[in-house]
Amino acid sequence: MGGDHGPAVTIPASLDCLKNNPNLKLILVGDEVVLKDHLSQALVDFADRLSIRHASQCVGMEESPSKALKNKKDSSMRVAINLVKSGEADACVSAGNTGALMATARFVLKMIPGIDRPAIISTIPSIFGHTHVLDLGGNVDCTAEHLFQFAVMGSELVKAVENIDNPTVGLLNIGEEEVKGNEQVKAAAKLLENSSLNYIGYVEGDSLTAGNVKVDLIVADGFVGNVALKSIEGAAKMIGTVLKEAFNKNIFTRLSGLLIYPVIRSFKQRIDPRMYNGASFLGLNGLVIKSHGGADALAFKTAVQLAEIEVSKGVIRKIGEQVETILSKRESL
Amino acid sequence: MGGDHGPAVTIPASLDCLKNNPNLKLILVGDEVVLKDHLSQALVDFADRLSIRHASQCVGMEESPSKALKNKKDSSMRVAINLVKSGEADACVSAGNTGALMATARFVLKMIPGIDRPAIISTIPSIFGHTHVLDLGGNVDCTAEHLFQFAVMGSELVKAVENIDNPTVGLLNIGEEEVKGNEQVKAAAKLLENSSLNYIGYVEGDSLTAGNVKVDLIVADGFVGNVALKSIEGAAKMIGTVLKEAFNKNIFTRLSGLLIYPVIRSFKQRIDPRMYNGASFLGLNGLVIKSHGGADALAFKTAVQLAEIEVSKGVIRKIGEQVETILSKRESL
């Protein structure tokens, strides 16, 4: 039911995913009447892989997380997360209210022992392909220990999803020199240097998209990570706008724009934000993926596919095991 | 002497500025022998407007600010800032080591009474033209009071430079809702709401370049501001790289690239970082402008022109007066 467009987007995207992956099963959670109305034929076509779970409430996009948690015990996101808790579902994907989704996921699924706060991780296109980055807004005022926990969890996700043994981890800072940065970042660097992670040091904001070397995972506190992500989104939008204006200048430039349509198309595909949609909540006993609220069907499909990949790779289980290993090592010191 | 290219860039840029502005006088500070070698004819052509001031030392780009301050008392940047202190120069422009320049400027010029820390302000291209933003890296771990001081100083600069009465001021945050953000940002919002500044509320990272409304000035702590700026630079570089790759795909795309050369040129001009070069240090008793270390002659010229504008508009004096007014209001409460 969530997102700016609701079932008009989530349902076509879901059906597309079912078509593409014969092993996928989806439970659509929300107002039964609305969903059935959209689904009549699909419920027959995918009889064994598609079902509906009724939820009588819906969390508004502007509702406060605490109110949603208190007053919306039968909301579509609550019921969907309950399915993950009970084991009926392997993951929950939602385009709904981020704060409410996070609060509900935390309340229902609980934290992995040893992790203090859930973090939000996603990917950003880069000249090397893409970069994983966390935290993207779940946590402000992080301690060094929180940043370290983010790095541990993020590394496990990158290992599993990218099929690499030893992902490189950078810490977002305002310079690459050791003396730079705030106290939390400097202390986090010490923790990372003494860990088994493949920590490569401080990286600056440009490393998210176009640094000198490929960095698999970049760790930041949620305030900084969120500002960086939004700044990149804004820059891309600004450049797109200026480019459009340049092509719309006169009849000649407009015609030349038509000529290079194939180039612009391949360029757009490469950095299309819809191909990067889907942010995973890490640190919970269960997989919850947040789609952008404004996602269209293609973007929402990307988020569902991300859930498929993370489930098949056992990301949540691997994170739990890794955190346990690190904790027991600390205790034995 | 500063920057990655030294006099090879700063001298041609300086001569170009002298040609363009018949009222401009420049004192080039550095190794007399090197400078004279580059300048022979120009010293005749601009006899009454161009002079050399010898400095026997030079601060390296990687030198620590404290060492530069202690051991390089006759460095080109120190001598140049001394000229501002003595009133012989109205402004100092340098492409040298940022940290050393800031430390030296603070030591020599001292802070304006009532301002705790100098801040770095610059402009970023946006869909509305450009946005002024501070702090860009001088200060990490800012208090609400620091953020407020940045807003007061930045507003005066924008008023003077843009010729507008009441510039809009936004506070960089991770959401536009009142409940979001860290403690410092929330407390700074209260100070700004109760001030005479034209505070419009929280803005997100995309507002730097492509928000819903034009914001004249965006205020952030130096860590967040620096990450945002570098993230935008990286995004622009990444998009440029991907666009180039798309045009280099095959012979057809390469030819079509030639056809749209005028479009690409006008597009590049609009967001050319060289046209946005030059960051002003605010909060000091004197004007110091930092050029990007990698600046070419065009970029360095932009930084010198920024100094010309700020001097002609009396930015430093106006900031001092405004800070004094606000302080006396507080004392009378």
Side-chain angles (χ1 to χ4, degrees), chain A residues 58-87:
Chain A
C58 198
V59 177
M61 292 300 273
E62 305 296 331
E63 218 163 319
S64 95
S66 57
K67 277 188 187 154
L69 201 55
K70 202 176 155 198
N71 303 328
K72 297 275 177 85
K73 290 183 181 160
D74 198 40
S75 72
S76 49
M77 65 168 66
R78 179 75 168 262
V79 172
I81 292 170
N82 284 341
L83 291 176
V84 176
K85 170 78 177 173
S86 69

PDB file of all heavy atoms in Angstrom, chain A residues 58-87:
ATOM      1  N   CYS A  58      -3.235   1.531   7.234  1.00  0.00           N
ATOM      2  CA  CYS A  58      -2.168   1.965   6.342  1.00  0.00           C
ATOM      3  C   CYS A  58      -1.461   3.136   7.030  1.00  0.00           C
ATOM      4  O   CYS A  58      -2.121   4.051   7.519  1.00  0.00           O
ATOM      5  CB  CYS A  58      -2.823   2.393   5.027  1.00  0.00           C
ATOM      6  SG  CYS A  58      -1.678   2.462   3.668  1.00  0.00           S
ATOM      7  N   VAL A  59      -0.133   3.126   7.081  1.00  0.00           N
ATOM      8  CA  VAL A  59       0.610   4.240   7.691  1.00  0.00           C
ATOM      9  C   VAL A  59       0.808   5.329   6.640  1.00  0.00           C
ATOM     10  O   VAL A  59       1.295   5.048   5.545  1.00  0.00           O
ATOM     11  CB  VAL A  59       1.979   3.762   8.228  1.00  0.00           C
ATOM     12  CG1 VAL A  59       2.782   4.936   8.789  1.00  0.00           C
ATOM     13  CG2 VAL A  59       1.798   2.685   9.290  1.00  0.00           C
ATOM     14  N   GLY A  60       0.426   6.550   6.983  1.00  0.00           N
ATOM     15  CA  GLY A  60       0.595   7.671   6.054  1.00  0.00           C
ATOM     16  C   GLY A  60       2.068   8.030   5.899  1.00  0.00           C
ATOM     17  O   GLY A  60       2.876   7.745   6.778  1.00  0.00           O
ATOM     18  N   MET A  61       2.387   8.648   4.765  1.00  0.00           N
ATOM     19  CA  MET A  61       3.789   8.967   4.475  1.00  0.00           C
ATOM     20  C   MET A  61       4.341  10.022   5.433  1.00  0.00           C
ATOM     21  O   MET A  61       5.557  10.145   5.595  1.00  0.00           O
ATOM     22  CB  MET A  61       3.961   9.431   3.020  1.00  0.00           C
ATOM     23  CG  MET A  61       3.728   8.337   1.981  1.00  0.00           C
ATOM     24  SD  MET A  61       4.854   6.902   2.131  1.00  0.00           S
ATOM     25  CE  MET A  61       6.273   7.458   1.153  1.00  0.00           C
ATOM     26  N   GLU A  62       3.462  10.821   6.063  1.00  0.00           N
ATOM     27  CA  GLU A  62       3.925  11.890   6.946  1.00  0.00           C
ATOM     28  C   GLU A  62       3.688  11.566   8.425  1.00  0.00           C
ATOM     29  O   GLU A  62       3.977  12.375   9.296  1.00  0.00           O
ATOM     30  CB  GLU A  62       3.224  13.214   6.592  1.00  0.00           C
ATOM     31  CG  GLU A  62       3.346  13.655   5.148  1.00  0.00           C
ATOM     32  CD  GLU A  62       4.783  13.952   4.730  1.00  0.00           C
ATOM     33  OE1 GLU A  62       5.578  14.346   5.594  1.00  0.00           O
ATOM     34  OE2 GLU A  62       5.107  13.748   3.540  1.00  0.00           O
ATOM     35  N   GLU A  63       3.130  10.376   8.693  1.00  0.00           N
ATOM     36  CA  GLU A  63       2.791  10.019  10.069  1.00  0.00           C
ATOM     37  C   GLU A  63       4.049   9.850  10.922  1.00  0.00           C
ATOM     38  O   GLU A  63       5.081   9.398  10.438  1.00  0.00           O
ATOM     39  CB  GLU A  63       2.005   8.700  10.045  1.00  0.00           C
ATOM     40  CG  GLU A  63       0.883   8.647  11.048  1.00  0.00           C
ATOM     41  CD  GLU A  63      -0.104   7.528  10.712  1.00  0.00           C
ATOM     42  OE1 GLU A  63      -0.423   7.325   9.510  1.00  0.00           O
ATOM     43  OE2 GLU A  63      -0.538   6.859  11.637  1.00  0.00           O
ATOM     44  N   SER A  64       3.969  10.199  12.208  1.00  0.00           N
ATOM     45  CA  SER A  64       5.136  10.043  13.066  1.00  0.00           C
ATOM     46  C   SER A  64       5.328   8.559  13.396  1.00  0.00           C
ATOM     47  O   SER A  64       4.361   7.827  13.620  1.00  0.00           O
ATOM     48  CB  SER A  64       4.982  10.861  14.346  1.00  0.00           C
ATOM     49  OG  SER A  64       4.476  10.069  15.387  1.00  0.00           O
ATOM     50  N   PRO A  65       6.583   8.110  13.408  1.00  0.00           N
ATOM     51  CA  PRO A  65       6.871   6.701  13.672  1.00  0.00           C
ATOM     52  C   PRO A  65       6.244   6.207  14.977  1.00  0.00           C
ATOM     53  O   PRO A  65       5.676   5.113  15.028  1.00  0.00           O
ATOM     54  CB  PRO A  65       8.398   6.675  13.741  1.00  0.00           C
ATOM     55  CG  PRO A  65       8.841   7.806  12.866  1.00  0.00           C
ATOM     56  CD  PRO A  65       7.800   8.862  13.058  1.00  0.00           C
ATOM     57  N   SER A  66       6.321   7.019  16.034  1.00  0.00           N
ATOM     58  CA  SER A  66       5.805   6.553  17.330  1.00  0.00           C
ATOM     59  C   SER A  66       4.293   6.377  17.278  1.00  0.00           C
ATOM     60  O   SER A  66       3.744   5.408  17.817  1.00  0.00           O
ATOM     61  CB  SER A  66       6.203   7.520  18.448  1.00  0.00           C
ATOM     62  OG  SER A  66       5.728   8.811  18.147  1.00  0.00           O
ATOM     63  N   LYS A  67       3.598   7.297  16.585  1.00  0.00           N
ATOM     64  CA  LYS A  67       2.140   7.165  16.458  1.00  0.00           C
ATOM     65  C   LYS A  67       1.775   5.949  15.621  1.00  0.00           C
ATOM     66  O   LYS A  67       0.825   5.233  15.916  1.00  0.00           O
ATOM     67  CB  LYS A  67       1.542   8.429  15.846  1.00  0.00           C
ATOM     68  CG  LYS A  67       1.334   9.498  16.898  1.00  0.00           C
ATOM     69  CD  LYS A  67       0.562  10.679  16.335  1.00  0.00           C
ATOM     70  CE  LYS A  67       0.538  11.795  17.401  1.00  0.00           C
ATOM     71  NZ  LYS A  67       0.387  13.125  16.797  1.00  0.00           N
ATOM     72  N   ALA A  68       2.521   5.732  14.556  1.00  0.00           N
ATOM     73  CA  ALA A  68       2.254   4.580  13.689  1.00  0.00           C
ATOM     74  C   ALA A  68       2.409   3.284  14.492  1.00  0.00           C
ATOM     75  O   ALA A  68       1.595   2.364  14.398  1.00  0.00           O
ATOM     76  CB  ALA A  68       3.215   4.586  12.503  1.00  0.00           C
ATOM     77  N   LEU A  69       3.430   3.255  15.313  1.00  0.00           N
ATOM     78  CA  LEU A  69       3.726   2.062  16.108  1.00  0.00           C
ATOM     79  C   LEU A  69       2.626   1.809  17.124  1.00  0.00           C
ATOM     80  O   LEU A  69       2.220   0.669  17.371  1.00  0.00           O
ATOM     81  CB  LEU A  69       5.080   2.280  16.818  1.00  0.00           C
ATOM     82  CG  LEU A  69       5.845   1.059  17.294  1.00  0.00           C
ATOM     83  CD1 LEU A  69       6.091   0.083  16.173  1.00  0.00           C
ATOM     84  CD2 LEU A  69       7.185   1.510  17.889  1.00  0.00           C
ATOM     85  N   LYS A  70       2.099   2.881  17.691  1.00  0.00           N
ATOM     86  CA  LYS A  70       1.111   2.782  18.772  1.00  0.00           C
ATOM     87  C   LYS A  70      -0.299   2.523  18.235  1.00  0.00           C
ATOM     88  O   LYS A  70      -1.031   1.690  18.764  1.00  0.00           O
ATOM     89  CB  LYS A  70       1.125   4.099  19.559  1.00  0.00           C
ATOM     90  CG  LYS A  70       0.577   3.988  20.968  1.00  0.00           C
ATOM     91  CD  LYS A  70       0.712   5.312  21.699  1.00  0.00           C
ATOM     92  CE  LYS A  70      -0.333   5.420  22.794  1.00  0.00           C
ATOM     93  NZ  LYS A  70      -0.511   6.803  23.236  1.00  0.00           N
ATOM     94  N   ASN A  71      -0.648   3.247  17.174  1.00  0.00           N
ATOM     95  CA  ASN A  71      -2.050   3.248  16.731  1.00  0.00           C
ATOM     96  C   ASN A  71      -2.336   2.385  15.505  1.00  0.00           C
ATOM     97  O   ASN A  71      -3.486   2.183  15.156  1.00  0.00           O
ATOM     98  CB  ASN A  71      -2.497   4.681  16.401  1.00  0.00           C
ATOM     99  CG  ASN A  71      -2.310   5.618  17.573  1.00  0.00           C
ATOM    100  OD1 ASN A  71      -2.431   5.190  18.726  1.00  0.00           O
ATOM    101  ND2 ASN A  71      -2.000   6.872  17.292  1.00  0.00           N
ATOM    102  N   LYS A  72      -1.283   1.934  14.823  1.00  0.00           N
ATOM    103  CA  LYS A  72      -1.531   1.209  13.571  1.00  0.00           C
ATOM    104  C   LYS A  72      -1.010  -0.227  13.672  1.00  0.00           C
ATOM    105  O   LYS A  72      -0.102  -0.621  12.947  1.00  0.00           O
ATOM    106  CB  LYS A  72      -0.836   1.949  12.413  1.00  0.00           C
ATOM    107  CG  LYS A  72      -1.368   3.362  12.167  1.00  0.00           C
ATOM    108  CD  LYS A  72      -2.594   3.345  11.259  1.00  0.00           C
ATOM    109  CE  LYS A  72      -3.198   4.712  11.036  1.00  0.00           C
ATOM    110  NZ  LYS A  72      -2.578   5.484   9.959  1.00  0.00           N
ATOM    111  N   LYS A  73      -1.626  -0.975  14.612  1.00  0.00           N
ATOM    112  CA  LYS A  73      -1.126  -2.346  14.835  1.00  0.00           C
ATOM    113  C   LYS A  73      -1.557  -3.315  13.745  1.00  0.00           C
ATOM    114  O   LYS A  73      -1.080  -4.440  13.691  1.00  0.00           O
ATOM    115  CB  LYS A  73      -1.563  -2.837  16.218  1.00  0.00           C
ATOM    116  CG  LYS A  73      -0.805  -2.059  17.289  1.00  0.00           C
ATOM    117  CD  LYS A  73      -1.100  -2.504  18.699  1.00  0.00           C
ATOM    118  CE  LYS A  73      -0.291  -1.605  19.634  1.00  0.00           C
ATOM    119  NZ  LYS A  73      -0.786  -1.587  21.009  1.00  0.00           N
ATOM    120  N   ASP A  74      -2.477  -2.876  12.896  1.00  0.00           N
ATOM    121  CA  ASP A  74      -2.859  -3.719  11.759  1.00  0.00           C
ATOM    122  C   ASP A  74      -2.539  -3.015  10.436  1.00  0.00           C
ATOM    123  O   ASP A  74      -3.247  -3.185   9.440  1.00  0.00           O
ATOM    124  CB  ASP A  74      -4.345  -4.094  11.848  1.00  0.00           C
ATOM    125  CG  ASP A  74      -4.673  -5.293  10.954  1.00  0.00           C
ATOM    126  OD1 ASP A  74      -3.848  -6.228  10.892  1.00  0.00           O
ATOM    127  OD2 ASP A  74      -5.737  -5.277  10.300  1.00  0.00           O
ATOM    128  N   SER A  75      -1.465  -2.222  10.456  1.00  0.00           N
ATOM    129  CA  SER A  75      -1.065  -1.556   9.208  1.00  0.00           C
ATOM    130  C   SER A  75      -0.411  -2.566   8.275  1.00  0.00           C
ATOM    131  O   SER A  75       0.103  -3.598   8.719  1.00  0.00           O
ATOM    132  CB  SER A  75      -0.076  -0.429   9.496  1.00  0.00           C
ATOM    133  OG  SER A  75       1.172  -0.982   9.869  1.00  0.00           O
ATOM    134  N   SER A  76      -0.411  -2.239   6.975  1.00  0.00           N
ATOM    135  CA  SER A  76       0.183  -3.169   5.999  1.00  0.00           C
ATOM    136  C   SER A  76       1.656  -3.415   6.335  1.00  0.00           C
ATOM    137  O   SER A  76       2.141  -4.548   6.255  1.00  0.00           O
ATOM    138  CB  SER A  76       0.016  -2.628   4.573  1.00  0.00           C
ATOM    139  OG  SER A  76       0.423  -1.276   4.491  1.00  0.00           O
ATOM    140  N   MET A  77       2.411  -2.369   6.741  1.00  0.00           N
ATOM    141  CA  MET A  77       3.840  -2.611   7.015  1.00  0.00           C
ATOM    142  C   MET A  77       4.031  -3.457   8.271  1.00  0.00           C
ATOM    143  O   MET A  77       4.895  -4.318   8.314  1.00  0.00           O
ATOM    144  CB  MET A  77       4.646  -1.297   7.074  1.00  0.00           C
ATOM    145  CG  MET A  77       4.337  -0.335   8.183  1.00  0.00           C
ATOM    146  SD  MET A  77       5.610   0.996   8.309  1.00  0.00           S
ATOM    147  CE  MET A  77       5.394   1.909   6.790  1.00  0.00           C
ATOM    148  N   ARG A  78       3.154  -3.250   9.277  1.00  0.00           N
ATOM    149  CA  ARG A  78       3.262  -4.034  10.508  1.00  0.00           C
ATOM    150  C   ARG A  78       2.977  -5.510  10.228  1.00  0.00           C
ATOM    151  O   ARG A  78       3.708  -6.397  10.682  1.00  0.00           O
ATOM    152  CB  ARG A  78       2.276  -3.465  11.543  1.00  0.00           C
ATOM    153  CG  ARG A  78       2.252  -4.199  12.880  1.00  0.00           C
ATOM    154  CD  ARG A  78       3.479  -3.868  13.705  1.00  0.00           C
ATOM    155  NE  ARG A  78       3.356  -4.314  15.075  1.00  0.00           N
ATOM    156  CZ  ARG A  78       2.999  -3.531  16.092  1.00  0.00           C
ATOM    157  NH1 ARG A  78       2.728  -2.254  15.902  1.00  0.00           N
ATOM    158  NH2 ARG A  78       2.923  -4.012  17.319  1.00  0.00           N
ATOM    159  N   VAL A  79       1.911  -5.756   9.465  1.00  0.00           N
ATOM    160  CA  VAL A  79       1.536  -7.147   9.151  1.00  0.00           C
ATOM    161  C   VAL A  79       2.644  -7.802   8.314  1.00  0.00           C
ATOM    162  O   VAL A  79       3.012  -8.959   8.542  1.00  0.00           O
ATOM    163  CB  VAL A  79       0.173  -7.179   8.408  1.00  0.00           C
ATOM    164  CG1 VAL A  79      -0.142  -8.587   7.909  1.00  0.00           C
ATOM    165  CG2 VAL A  79      -0.942  -6.675   9.331  1.00  0.00           C
ATOM    166  N   ALA A  80       3.218  -7.036   7.378  1.00  0.00           N
ATOM    167  CA  ALA A  80       4.281  -7.587   6.517  1.00  0.00           C
ATOM    168  C   ALA A  80       5.512  -7.951   7.356  1.00  0.00           C
ATOM    169  O   ALA A  80       6.134  -9.008   7.148  1.00  0.00           O
ATOM    170  CB  ALA A  80       4.644  -6.588   5.426  1.00  0.00           C
ATOM    171  N   ILE A  81       5.858  -7.082   8.294  1.00  0.00           N
ATOM    172  CA  ILE A  81       7.033  -7.362   9.132  1.00  0.00           C
ATOM    173  C   ILE A  81       6.732  -8.534  10.074  1.00  0.00           C
ATOM    174  O   ILE A  81       7.607  -9.369  10.348  1.00  0.00           O
ATOM    175  CB  ILE A  81       7.469  -6.088   9.891  1.00  0.00           C
ATOM    176  CG1 ILE A  81       8.014  -5.059   8.884  1.00  0.00           C
ATOM    177  CG2 ILE A  81       8.529  -6.411  10.936  1.00  0.00           C
ATOM    178  CD1 ILE A  81       8.257  -3.681   9.446  1.00  0.00           C
ATOM    179  N   ASN A  82       5.477  -8.621  10.542  1.00  0.00           N
ATOM    180  CA  ASN A  82       5.088  -9.784  11.358  1.00  0.00           C
ATOM    181  C   ASN A  82       5.313 -11.095  10.599  1.00  0.00           C
ATOM    182  O   ASN A  82       5.676 -12.104  11.193  1.00  0.00           O
ATOM    183  CB  ASN A  82       3.606  -9.689  11.761  1.00  0.00           C
ATOM    184  CG  ASN A  82       3.388  -8.681  12.885  1.00  0.00           C
ATOM    185  OD1 ASN A  82       4.326  -8.311  13.611  1.00  0.00           O
ATOM    186  ND2 ASN A  82       2.153  -8.220  13.031  1.00  0.00           N
ATOM    187  N   LEU A  83       5.092 -11.074   9.288  1.00  0.00           N
ATOM    188  CA  LEU A  83       5.290 -12.281   8.467  1.00  0.00           C
ATOM    189  C   LEU A  83       6.762 -12.691   8.460  1.00  0.00           C
ATOM    190  O   LEU A  83       7.094 -13.875   8.397  1.00  0.00           O
ATOM    191  CB  LEU A  83       4.820 -12.039   7.029  1.00  0.00           C
ATOM    192  CG  LEU A  83       3.316 -11.872   6.812  1.00  0.00           C
ATOM    193  CD1 LEU A  83       3.022 -11.545   5.343  1.00  0.00           C
ATOM    194  CD2 LEU A  83       2.561 -13.128   7.231  1.00  0.00           C
ATOM    195  N   VAL A  84       7.659 -11.682   8.495  1.00  0.00           N
ATOM    196  CA  VAL A  84       9.097 -11.978   8.562  1.00  0.00           C
ATOM    197  C   VAL A  84       9.422 -12.567   9.936  1.00  0.00           C
ATOM    198  O   VAL A  84      10.137 -13.563  10.062  1.00  0.00           O
ATOM    199  CB  VAL A  84       9.942 -10.706   8.299  1.00  0.00           C
ATOM    200  CG1 VAL A  84      11.426 -10.994   8.468  1.00  0.00           C
ATOM    201  CG2 VAL A  84       9.671 -10.156   6.894  1.00  0.00           C
ATOM    202  N   LYS A  85       8.839 -11.961  10.963  1.00  0.00           N
ATOM    203  CA  LYS A  85       9.062 -12.427  12.342  1.00  0.00           C
ATOM    204  C   LYS A  85       8.643 -13.897  12.495  1.00  0.00           C
ATOM    205  O   LYS A  85       9.371 -14.709  13.073  1.00  0.00           O
ATOM    206  CB  LYS A  85       8.247 -11.528  13.282  1.00  0.00           C
ATOM    207  CG  LYS A  85       8.163 -11.980  14.727  1.00  0.00           C
ATOM    208  CD  LYS A  85       9.438 -11.641  15.460  1.00  0.00           C
ATOM    209  CE  LYS A  85       9.321 -12.034  16.936  1.00  0.00           C
ATOM    210  NZ  LYS A  85      10.606 -11.878  17.625  1.00  0.00           N
ATOM    211  N   SER A  86       7.463 -14.233  11.949  1.00  0.00           N
ATOM    212  CA  SER A  86       6.920 -15.586  12.117  1.00  0.00           C
ATOM    213  C   SER A  86       7.599 -16.587  11.195  1.00  0.00           C
ATOM    214  O   SER A  86       7.395 -17.789  11.327  1.00  0.00           O
ATOM    215  CB  SER A  86       5.414 -15.569  11.825  1.00  0.00           C
ATOM    216  OG  SER A  86       5.210 -15.331  10.436  1.00  0.00           O
ATOM    217  N   GLY A  87       8.373 -16.091  10.235  1.00  0.00           N
ATOM    218  CA  GLY A  87       9.043 -16.989   9.299  1.00  0.00           C
ATOM    219  C   GLY A  87       8.223 -17.306   8.062  1.00  0.00           C
ATOM    220  O   GLY A  87       8.677 -18.025   7.175  1.00  0.00           O
TER     221      GLY A  87
END
